[in-house]
């Protein structure tokens, strides 16, 4: 059983809407119509800023500086020359294409149980919103074999072997990035218990995301604004537009860069860095012209590992801002409080999590 499964069992995602096949819609049904959202993209700040692109080809002091500035200023950056082959990335894209273009009656054979972690379904954050998102997802927490066997009885072995290879490559990259990020904070592997043994205890959950073409994109929302509950998220956004990040109260596009992987600081890394690295709000808008695929890999320590502001980063001038919490408990808190979960752990004027 995946170490986070119990959390999902305790917090089932129940929805009061039937699943609809968005691919066949000629207009956006009422349950998917969002109030007009503020679009600050015409603003000069948004136009003139773009998230950093960092090359990992040669590890150097300069790369560490680029990483720490990107994590501080944006909480997001794109990496290139990261070692994951572009052929593997495009194979993943074809798998996503095949999986999500299956007929709905086939896809629901792999439906995620309300209290389950893996399978096909709506966005996990859906219960916090009265409107549905223009989104389909397929979550892989352990082996996808059982689900994929139902979905593609003739070709499940090929599908699973590509996913396995992708997970393996991403795990390698996630560990490498985590090491660079800790180093950029002035920490080494021995300073962080779960980082010893080459980050062996880091775990990932892979989420395949699909945003179908939308007949009225300005009325719909692909994925509503949220922060990630991970330490770090590695996102391959294929060559499609749609992802936006909130920066200084403006939404900024995250343009696709060929073969680049988007790295997103999650809430746990924000806590560990004692607020120095930001965990940015981000969202996905949909389009009439182009559907979107993305593959998000959420990385964290084992579910029972405590995360807290690292003592080496604290001083009289920078006292700890957050309480200590395990990944499992953080997900429980997020399932209750959603975007207020992080601030509920603030030590000064926040509400202590234990009193929720
Ligand atoms: C997520 C996410 C962005 C995307 O899955 O948490 O932010 O582009 N995905 O799909
Ligand atoms: Ni996200």
């Amino acid at each position: 059983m995946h170490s986070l499964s119990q959390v999902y069992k305790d917090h089932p995602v129940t929805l009061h809407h039937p699943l609809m096949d968005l691919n066949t819609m000629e207009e956006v049904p009422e349950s998917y119509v969002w109030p007009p959202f503020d679009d600050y993209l015409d603003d000069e700040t948004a136009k003139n800023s773009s998230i950093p692109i960092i090359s990992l080809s040669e590890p150097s002091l300069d790369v560490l500086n680029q990483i720490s500035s990107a994590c501080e200023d944006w909480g997001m950056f794109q990496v290139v020359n990261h070692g994951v082959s572009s052929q593997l990335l495009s194979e993943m894209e074809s798998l996503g294409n095949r999986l999500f273009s299956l007929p709905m009656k086939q896809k629901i054979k792999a439906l995620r149980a309300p209290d389950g972690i893996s399978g096909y379904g709506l966005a996990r954050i859906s219960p916090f919103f009265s409107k549905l998102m223009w989104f389909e997802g397929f979550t892989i927490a352990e082996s996808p074999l059982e689900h994929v066997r139902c979905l593609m009885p003739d070709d499940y072995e090929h599908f699973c072997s590509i996913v396995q290879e992708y997970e393996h490559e991403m795990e390698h990259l996630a560990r490498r990035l985590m090491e660079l990020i800790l180093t950029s904070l002035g920490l080494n592997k021995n300073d962080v218990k779960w980082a010893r043994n080459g980050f062996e205890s880091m775990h990932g959950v892979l989420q395949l995301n699909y945003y179908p073409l939308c007949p009225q994109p300005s009325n719909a929302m692909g994925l509503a604004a949220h922060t990630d509950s991970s330490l770090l998220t590695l996102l391959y956004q294929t060559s499609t537009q749609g992802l936006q990040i909130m920066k200084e109260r403006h939404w900024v596009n995250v343009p696709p860069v060929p073969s680049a992987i988007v790295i997103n600081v999650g809430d746990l890394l924000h806590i560990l860095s004692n607020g120095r690295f930001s965990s940015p709000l981000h969202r996905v808008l949909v389009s009439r012209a182009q559907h979107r695929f993305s593959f998000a890999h959420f990385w964290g320590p084992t579910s029972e590992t405590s995360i807290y502001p690292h003592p080496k980063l604290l001083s009289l001038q920078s006292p700890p801002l957050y309480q200590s919490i395990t990944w499992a408990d953080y997900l429980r808190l997020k399932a209750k409080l959603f975007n207020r979960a992080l601030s509920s752990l603030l030590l000064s004027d926040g509400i202590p999590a234990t009193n929720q």
Side-chain angles (χ1 to χ4, degrees):
M1 190 161 99
H2 193 274
S3 61
L4 294 175
S5 293
Q6 192 57 45
V7 180
Y8 291 93
K9 275 210 171 352
D10 298 342
H11 295 278
V13 175
T14 27
L15 289 167
H16 308 289
H17 301 272
L19 265 182
M20 288 194 200
D21 189 353
L22 302 176
N23 296 286
T24 57
M25 299 283 169
E26 275 166 24
E27 56 181 58
V28 174
E30 188 48 39
S31 53
Y32 287 82
V33 174
W34 284 62
F37 35 84
D38 303 325
D39 196 338
Y40 298 108
L41 283 172
D42 284 339
D43 185 276
E44 284 305 305
T45 327
K47 258 200 241 159
N48 296 331
S49 45
S50 58
I51 75 160
I53 298 173
I54 301 177
S55 168
L56 294 185
S57 56
E58 283 169 46
S60 65
L61 195 57
D62 189 41
V63 171
L64 291 177
N65 291 337
Q66 289 177 42
I67 289 179
S68 67
S69 314
C71 291
E72 281 174 22
D73 299 344
W74 292 85
M76 197 184 264
F77 53 97
Q78 310 211 45
V79 288
V80 292
N81 301 319
H82 42 61
V84 180
S85 86
S86 18
Q87 193 194 331
L88 183 58
L89 295 175
S90 61
E91 278 177 316
M92 275 301 285
E93 194 170 343
S94 330
L95 289 193
N97 211 339
R98 285 184 50 205
L99 177 86
F100 291 109
S101 48
L102 290 170
M104 185 55 101
K105 67 175 192 328
Q106 189 72 4
K107 285 188 273 200
I108 56 175
K109 290 186 185 162
L111 205 58
R112 188 170 59 216
D115 65 349
I117 185 169
S118 304
Y120 172 80
L122 299 174
R124 215 160 241 298
I125 59 175
S126 301
F128 296 100
F129 299 91
S130 57
K131 297 296 184 166
L132 287 169
M133 292 168 224
W134 206 258
F135 170 97
E136 293 178 15
F138 185 78
T139 316
I140 300 173
E142 307 176 290
S143 163
L145 190 74
E146 287 311 312
H147 280 138
V148 179
R149 215 199 310 245
C150 306
L151 292 171
M152 301 176 188
D154 299 330
D155 199 17
Y156 66 93
E157 279 168 346
H158 171 69
F159 188 104
C160 292
S161 76
I162 301 282
V163 168
Q164 205 176 20
E165 193 182 337
Y166 182 77
E167 287 184 318
H168 182 78
E169 295 283 303
M170 282 297 175
E171 185 171 324
H172 182 72
L173 180 59
R175 289 178 175 165
R176 191 167 154 215
L177 280 161
M178 213 50 237
E179 182 164 0
L180 288 168
I181 287 172
L182 291 183
T183 311
S184 83
L185 275 171
L187 302 174
N188 67 49
K189 276 195 274 184
N190 292 326
D191 292 328
V192 182
K193 214 162 153 193
W194 50 264
R196 292 176 199 152
N197 301 325
F199 298 90
E200 241 166 49
S201 58
M202 254 171 80
H203 284 275
V205 174
L206 175 60
Q207 167 85 29
L208 278 50
N209 298 321
Y210 170 53
Y211 305 88
L213 289 185
C214 180
Q216 293 151 308
S218 54
N219 291 340
M221 176 59 80
L223 194 59
H226 66 281
T227 61
D228 288 356
S229 311
S230 50
L231 269 172
L232 204 61
T233 306
L234 275 59
L235 178 94
Y236 175 52
Q237 63 166 343
T238 63
S239 54
T240 48
Q241 310 274 351
L243 179 61
Q244 296 186 328
I245 173 177
M246 174 71 91
K247 169 99 159 110
E248 287 151 23
R249 291 189 281 123
H250 295 284
W251 286 111
V252 177
N253 286 329
V254 181
V257 170
S259 294
I261 295 182
V262 178
I263 311 300
N264 187 144
V265 170
D267 296 343
L268 297 188
L269 186 53
H270 175 81
I271 296 174
L272 183 143
S273 70
N274 201 32
R276 189 170 137 194
F277 289 175
S278 48
S279 172
L281 267 181
H282 52 284
R283 69 178 185 185
V284 178
L285 301 186
V286 290
S287 147
R288 196 195 306 269
Q290 201 186 23
H291 60 208
R292 172 179 171 85
F293 289 110
S294 72
F295 309 115
H297 228 142
F298 305 99
W299 290 94
T302 49
S303 59
E304 297 310 322
T305 304
S306 291
I307 296 290
Y308 42 81
H310 196 280
K312 265 191 150 177
L313 308 177
L314 306 176
S315 65
L316 270 181
Q317 290 74 36
S318 356
L321 295 176
Y322 293 97
Q323 298 178 48
S324 164
I325 192 158
T326 64
W327 196 13
D329 282 343
Y330 189 68
L331 287 174
R332 291 193 174 96
L333 200 61
K334 196 97 172 209
K336 277 193 264 170
L337 301 178
F338 188 49
N339 280 349
R340 289 181 298 113
L342 195 54
S343 56
S344 79
L345 291 175
L346 276 170
L347 282 169
S348 50
D349 48 353
I351 314 153
T354 44
N355 293 347
Q356 293 300 314

